[in-house]
Amino acid sequence: MSVIHVDKNSFQEEVVNSSKTVLLDFWASWCGPCRMVAPILDEIAQERSDIKVCKVNVDEQPELARQFGIMSIPTLMVFKDGKVVNQTVGARPKGQILAML
């Protein structure tokens, strides 16, 4: 599966209502650490069919960033059954990201 880019219109369906665990990345194109995490998230999306990897561009979706109190990026959140169960800020190696799940 590939990474799914979500916006305020698709967020409910793709993240909150997902039957799978969702790894959500709040990011921006100008953010260096976000660019470091992106290939790791692509790998995870390809390797793990049991989870869904989604991304929210904070510049294009400021309402979602505000809703979740995003102050720094990248912010990674794990959603299970529509609720945030884990969260971290900053670039992380693949092992630490997988451990969040």
Side-chain angles (χ1 to χ4, degrees), residues 2-98:
S2 59
V3 173
I4 300 164
H5 292 268
V6 295
D7 58 25
K8 64 182 179 188
N9 298 321
S10 62
F11 187 85
Q12 187 74 27
E13 179 184 339
E14 295 290 354
V15 178
V16 177
N17 297 341
S18 177
S19 58
K20 295 182 178 183
T21 297
V22 177
L23 175 60
L24 180 64
D25 175 29
F26 285 90
W27 71 287
S29 58
W30 49 264
C31 164
C34 299
R35 290 195 301 268
M36 289 169 45
V37 169
I40 297 170
L41 297 178
D42 290 338
E43 272 181 39
I44 292 171
Q46 294 299 322
E47 294 169 359
R48 297 281 302 265
S49 60
D50 60 319
I51 64 165
K52 188 188 284 191
V53 179
C54 297
K55 296 182 84 153
V56 173
N57 184 318
V58 295
D59 290 335
E60 296 171 3
Q61 301 299 319
E63 304 92 348
L64 283 174
R66 248 190 320 278
Q67 179 182 339
F68 288 95
I70 304 302
M71 296 295 174
S72 300
I73 52 174
T75 293
L76 298 173
M77 293 183 167
V78 177
F79 284 78
K80 288 186 182 171
D81 301 319
K83 306 229 180 326
V84 178
V85 296
N86 210 337
Q87 180 175 340
T88 188
V89 176
R92 297 281 184 267
K94 186 176 180 180
Q96 285 183 18
I97 295 172
L98 289 172

